Amino acid sequence: SDPFYFDEDGEIVVLPSHVLYTKEHFSGMHKLLVENSGVLVFQSETYNIPSNLKEIRKWISDLSNIGFQNVRYGSISIGSYPTGQIGFMVCHALDACSEREDSKIADYSYNGMS
């Protein structure tokens, strides 16, 4: 859900969940995930609402600047949602093709299969 809502007077009320969408929180997540080549996935905005496109672009920029690799936006159809769609971000803490990942892949055994 959005990290804010509008009260009866039209004023924006910021909810406690707003911290989950800040650069500081994303930076902390990156620090936790980078050691184990983790991946951050979170629900994001819908592309069906023009004002949300700005936020999607901002998150892609912020996450890339923090150090996440291969920051991607994805979308799935959900008939019960008002816009019929829900978005999500997938952000790799390290590049999936880095030397570190290549060495992990090389360590796997295929049970004698060539």
Side-chain angles (χ1 to χ4, degrees):
S1 71
D2 290 323
F4 63 88
Y5 72 93
F6 295 97
D7 68 11
E8 296 104 26
D9 298 327
E11 297 292 320
I12 292 178
V13 177
V14 178
L15 299 173
S17 62
H18 81 279
V19 299
L20 299 175
Y21 298 94
T22 62
K23 279 185 180 180
E24 294 78 16
H25 181 71
F26 291 141
S27 182
M29 294 296 294
H30 183 262
K31 288 176 187 173
L32 291 171
L33 293 169
V34 75
E35 184 175 329
N36 294 306
S37 303
V39 177
L40 173 64
V41 179
F42 66 95
Q43 181 178 338
S44 62
E45 306 287 355
T46 173
Y47 63 78
N48 287 326
I49 300 174
S51 61
N52 287 352
L53 294 175
K54 181 179 177 183
E55 194 65 29
I56 292 167
R57 286 191 298 271
K58 180 183 177 301
W59 280 335
I60 290 171
S61 175
D62 288 350
L63 292 161
S64 296
N65 290 335
I66 287 168
F68 280 100
Q69 305 293 310
N70 301 319
V71 177
R72 304 282 189 223
Y73 174 81
S75 172
I76 56 174
S77 297
I78 307 226
S80 61
Y81 271 55
T83 61
Q85 177 269 340
I86 189 169
F88 56 93
M89 300 295 292
V90 179
C91 318
H92 295 262
L94 292 175
D95 188 345
C97 295
S98 69
E99 288 181 33
R100 181 177 179 165
E101 288 302 303
D102 288 343
S103 67
K104 283 183 181 179
I105 292 168
D107 289 341
Y108 289 116
S109 168
Y110 292 101
N111 298 322
M113 296 175 63
S114 53

